[in-house]
């Protein structure tokens, strides 16, 4: 029982159906009087309602995946030109990412209002891309000061995107069980995150405009990101980072597809983690629990459906091998990775990709 756990300083409000008042209270608490609202054109109406009563000085909607440096520079220039003193971001991980890019160079406080289950709002990790090269880093300045979770804002998230994003959150939980800095606190949060997501996501699919499933999923997504933020990137995130960066695959769907293969690969070598995951699913094994959930929510199944070509496998294996965490519970060989990626590419049974029954 020797470990170090850092708790990041952030205020979180769960306010179903009540984002406008909750956001206003947070902006007042932080003394914001010249607010910049960041929301993509798709989330324009949603953001308009949430921020209607704020002292908004500028609205910025140039939100692009993976935050290109040039777009970050334009957003920073707008913040400076309008003498902004606080940023409110309303949207998914891409929107939060742009707010973080501004905070990185300006130190401006962020009130984040997430509308997906990506979890970026809970981490001090930023990401910027220049051409095909993605740079990430960690800086306490980019951690939003406040987060307002309103499940009603996620009702418009299409079911397929909700499922992919929810499984992205589930991947934070699973990887947190064995990531480089994992500790007992992370594993408790991750277990409860799995339970909440496994309860919420089937309800989201069955009743996309019902609040209870969305609330559970958002709560699980928050816990997943807190655990992940502390535990760091395990094998799953290293694989997805390479795939997303080099082959421009969609973030949430890539995580959703790859997760069962990494779980089947690692579970036999991490029996305690596997038992914890199985218990959280209420299943006899971790893989069985995940697969049962995936079937119930019609999860994405194959990387080939998202633009990953079979001939990319060899290059991807080489790039991933360089990034494998040294503490991964099971040794990772080129052959093991090749089998894993081939199975994820084709969408075949995860247990046939080098995994064994856990
Ligand atoms: P995203 O933000 O790109 O959103 C995906 C799509 O969903 C977009 O088209 C968006 O307009 C739409 N959308 C979002 N909310 C909606 C809503 N309520 N209703 C209707 N449509 C809605 O995708 P994402 O998966 O949320 O985030 C992915 C990005 O976040 C990636 O760039 C990833 O690297 C980053 N990320 C960063 C961290 C971190 O800690 N820094 C963690 C997780 C993800």
């Amino acid at each position: 029982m020797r470990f170090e756990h850092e708790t990041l300083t952030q205020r979180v409000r769960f306010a179903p159906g009540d984002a406008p008042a909750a956001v206003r209270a947070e902006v007042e608490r932080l003394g914001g009087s010249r607010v910049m609202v960041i929301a993509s054109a798709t989330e324009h109406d949603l953001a308009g309602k949430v921020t209607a009563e704020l002292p908004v000085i500028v609205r910025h909607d140039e939100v692009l995946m993976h935050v290109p440096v040039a777009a970050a520079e334009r957003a920073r220039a707008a913040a400076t030109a309008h003498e902004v003193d606080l940023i409110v971001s309303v949207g998914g991980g891409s929107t939060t990412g742009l707010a973080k890019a501004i905070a990185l160079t300006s130190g401006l406080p962020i009130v984040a209002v997430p509308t997906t289950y990506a979890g970026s709002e809970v981490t001090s990790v930023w990401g910027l891309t220049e051409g095909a090269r993605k740079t990430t880093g960690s800086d306490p300045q980019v951690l939003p000061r406040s987060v307002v979770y309103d499940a009603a804002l996620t009702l418009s998230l299409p079911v397929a995107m909700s499922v992919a994003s929810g499984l992205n959150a589930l991947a934070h939980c699973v990887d947190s069980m064995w990531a480089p800095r994992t500790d007992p606190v992370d594993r408790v949060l991750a277990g409860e995150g799995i339970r909440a997501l496994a309860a919420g996501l089937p309800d989201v699919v069955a009743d996309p405009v019902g609040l209870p499933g969305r609330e559970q999923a958002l709560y699980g997504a928050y816990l997943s990101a807190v655990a992940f933020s502390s535990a760091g990137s395990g094998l799953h995130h290293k694989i997805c980072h390479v795939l997303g960066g080099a082959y421009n695959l969609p973030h949430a769907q890539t995580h959703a597809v790859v997760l069962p293969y990494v779980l089947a690969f690692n579970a036999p070598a991490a029996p305690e983690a596997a038992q914890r995951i199985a218990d959280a699913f209420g299943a006899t094994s971790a893989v069985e629990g995940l697969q049962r959930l995936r079937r119930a929510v019609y999860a994405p199944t194959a990387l080939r459906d998202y633009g990953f070509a079979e001939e990319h496998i060899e290059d991807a294996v080489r790039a991933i091998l360089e990034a494998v965490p040294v503490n991964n519970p099971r040794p990772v060989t080129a052959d093991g990775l090749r089998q894993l990626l081939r199975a994820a590419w084709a969408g075949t049974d995860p247990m046939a990709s080098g995994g064994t029954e856990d």
Side-chain angles (χ1 to χ4, degrees):
M1 263 297 166
R2 185 189 293 270
F3 67 91
E4 290 171 22
H5 177 86
E6 190 178 348
T7 303
L8 302 183
T9 312
Q10 180 179 67
R11 190 178 165 89
V12 176
R13 293 171 82 123
F14 280 78
D18 212 14
V23 171
R24 193 177 65 233
E26 288 309 303
V27 170
E28 281 170 9
R29 201 178 60 82
L30 292 163
S33 62
R34 298 178 66 84
V35 172
M36 176 180 207
V37 175
I38 300 191
S40 77
T42 321
E43 278 77 67
H44 178 269
D45 292 349
L46 215 58
K49 285 182 198 136
V50 171
T51 59
E53 291 174 34
L54 302 182
V56 177
I57 205 81
V58 56
R59 292 181 185 272
H60 192 85
D61 69 0
E62 197 200 7
V63 173
L64 301 167
M65 273 246 285
H66 306 309
V67 197
V69 169
E73 285 302 336
R74 284 191 286 275
R76 288 166 178 161
T80 306
H82 290 89
E83 297 178 17
V84 165
D85 62 10
L86 186 142
I87 304 167
V88 174
S89 63
V90 184
S94 301
T95 310
T96 314
L98 181 59
K100 285 175 158 183
I102 303 172
L104 181 65
T105 52
S106 65
L108 284 170
I110 302 171
V111 175
V113 188
T115 62
T116 70
Y117 309 124
S120 172
E121 66 281 357
V122 176
T123 81
S124 46
V125 175
W126 54 266
L128 286 163
T129 51
E130 196 150 28
R133 198 165 156 267
K134 181 162 185 172
T135 311
T136 58
S138 181
D139 190 318
Q141 283 210 125
V142 309
L143 179 74
R145 304 281 176 88
S146 301
V147 182
V148 172
Y149 288 106
D150 177 352
L153 302 179
T154 63
L155 294 176
S156 54
L157 192 63
V159 170
M161 183 62 203
S162 302
V163 166
S165 189
L167 292 172
N168 179 192
L170 196 76
H172 293 149
C173 297
V174 170
D175 227 18
S176 291
M177 295 289 182
W178 45 57
R181 301 189 306 271
T182 187
D183 64 47
V185 179
D186 301 335
R187 293 193 285 270
V188 169
L189 295 171
E192 172 66 357
I194 292 172
R195 189 206 58 73
L197 287 160
L201 291 177
D203 285 352
V204 170
V205 173
D207 181 15
V209 293
L211 215 48
R214 298 278 185 183
E215 288 189 276
Q216 281 295 310
L218 206 51
Y219 165 63
Y222 167 67
L223 294 177
S224 82
V226 178
F228 172 64
S229 165
S230 167
S233 291
L235 178 63
H236 172 85
H237 279 78
K238 294 295 183 187
I239 292 175
C240 291
H241 187 84
V242 167
L243 295 179
Y247 310 103
N248 200 28
L249 307 187
H251 179 84
Q253 290 83 350
T254 304
H255 281 269
V257 170
V258 171
L259 183 61
Y261 300 99
V262 176
L263 181 58
F265 183 86
N266 265 352
E272 271 188 51
Q275 188 60 54
R276 220 181 250 270
I277 296 167
D279 290 348
F281 277 121
T284 50
S285 85
V287 176
E288 194 263 320
L290 176 59
Q291 292 301 77
R292 194 176 63 196
L293 172 66
R294 287 172 49 80
R295 283 191 296 274
V297 299
Y298 312 102
T301 51
L303 289 178
R304 63 176 163 191
D305 296 338
Y306 295 97
F308 185 65
E310 191 175 11
E311 54 266 31
H312 291 146
I313 291 175
E314 278 311 309
D315 276 352
V317 165
R318 270 192 292 279
I320 294 165
L321 270 180
E322 286 173 24
V324 170
V326 286
N327 77 326
N328 191 62
R330 180 171 167 185
V332 180
T333 62
D335 221 35
L337 266 183
R338 199 172 289 123
Q339 281 185 51
L340 190 158
L341 284 187
R342 181 168 295 281
W345 167 78
T348 52
D349 179 1
M351 296 313 296
S353 68
T356 48
E357 197 52 67
D358 56 309

